[in-house]
Amino acid sequence: MPAAADPYDFPGDPGPPRTANLADILERVLDKGIVIAGDIRIDLLDIELLTIRLRLFVSSVDTAKRAGIDWWETDPSLSGRAARDALAEENRMLRERIAEVEAELPTATTSGRRAASPTGERRGR
């Protein structure tokens, strides 16, 4: 069975222009990827006030991964796994800090008396 002709391949002899529907164009863009770049610059009397650099990469997830782009997997606002990992890391850091503070507590009290607060008042009254 012959392979289907690619509407983007142009034969050697010119013929009528070929048209592609939106689905074909979108499939090709997502498969290959497309980069749209632009800069917006606002100057006043040759003084640069604002520069905005826009870079847009439109592709499928697989194409983006092949290009080394996978930030959505590590952004907690976009990935449930990343959010759980961020929460687990925060919990680990808090537990370590609590352990440090608890380790310092016995040295703050002397001979069974309650430690004074930084303002000089005794705690636990």
Side-chain angles (χ1 to χ4, degrees):
M1 176 176 263
D6 186 357
Y8 301 100
D9 290 336
F10 295 103
D13 61 346
R18 297 183 187 190
T19 61
N21 62 25
L22 182 60
D24 291 338
I25 294 170
L26 185 59
E27 181 181 348
R28 186 168 178 97
V29 165
L30 293 178
D31 184 47
K32 301 291 182 184
I34 186 171
V35 175
I36 301 170
D39 296 336
I40 299 171
R41 185 173 167 181
I42 299 174
D43 293 343
L44 179 65
L45 301 174
D46 292 330
I47 298 172
E48 184 178 328
L49 299 177
L50 176 68
T51 298
I52 299 173
R53 303 187 80 188
L54 303 171
R55 304 296 180 258
L56 178 64
F57 180 61
V58 179
S59 72
S60 67
V61 170
D62 293 334
T63 303
K65 284 184 177 181
R66 285 194 309 264
I69 301 170
D70 62 352
W71 52 264
W72 61 87
E73 292 181 349
T74 57
D75 187 337
S77 63
L78 298 174
S79 168
R81 186 186 67 204
R84 285 188 303 274
D85 292 347
L87 184 59
E89 176 63 17
E90 183 180 10
N91 284 341
R92 184 192 63 76
M93 290 172 46
L94 288 172
R95 289 178 192 275
E96 287 176 2
R97 181 64 183 135
I98 288 171
E100 290 173 9
V101 169
E102 286 176 345
E104 293 174 5
L105 281 178
T107 60
T109 60
T110 56
S111 66
R113 293 183 302 180
R114 292 186 177 150
S117 71
T119 60
E121 298 175 349
R122 291 196 175 264
R123 286 189 280 170
R125 283 198 232 175

